[in-house]
Amino acid sequence: MQIFNKIFLSALLAGVVAGLVLAGLQHITVVPMILEAETYETSGADEGNTAHEEKEAWAPEDGTERTFF
């Protein structure tokens, strides 16, 4: 049973470390692309159909809410 605990804790620690590394890597590489794409989305909405007024869609606020969602 003691050897199982060592294996389980090693696997758990490896999983947590790998998850943190990949989450950081994703935040560094993916978030800038998403933010740039949002600038294209908002600029395209201004040039769209002016006769049809659309209700603005919900978007997370900058900061913690954007990071969480």
Side-chain angles (χ1 to χ4, degrees):
M1 189 66 167
Q2 189 177 20
I3 207 162
F4 174 76
N5 288 340
K6 285 183 179 183
I7 293 171
F8 181 76
L9 289 176
S10 298
L12 185 65
L13 181 63
V16 168
V17 169
L20 289 173
V21 168
L22 289 177
L25 184 64
Q26 177 182 354
H27 187 74
I28 291 171
T29 58
V30 175
V31 170
M33 287 189 287
I34 291 172
L35 294 176
E36 185 176 349
E38 286 180 354
T39 60
Y40 290 114
E41 288 177 0
T42 56
S43 67
D46 294 339
E47 299 170 1
N49 189 0
T50 56
H52 185 296
E53 192 172 312
E54 293 184 20
K55 185 177 179 181
E56 190 171 324
W58 177 85
E61 294 180 14
D62 291 339
T64 308
E65 186 177 11
R66 178 176 291 280
T67 301
F68 178 72
F69 283 105

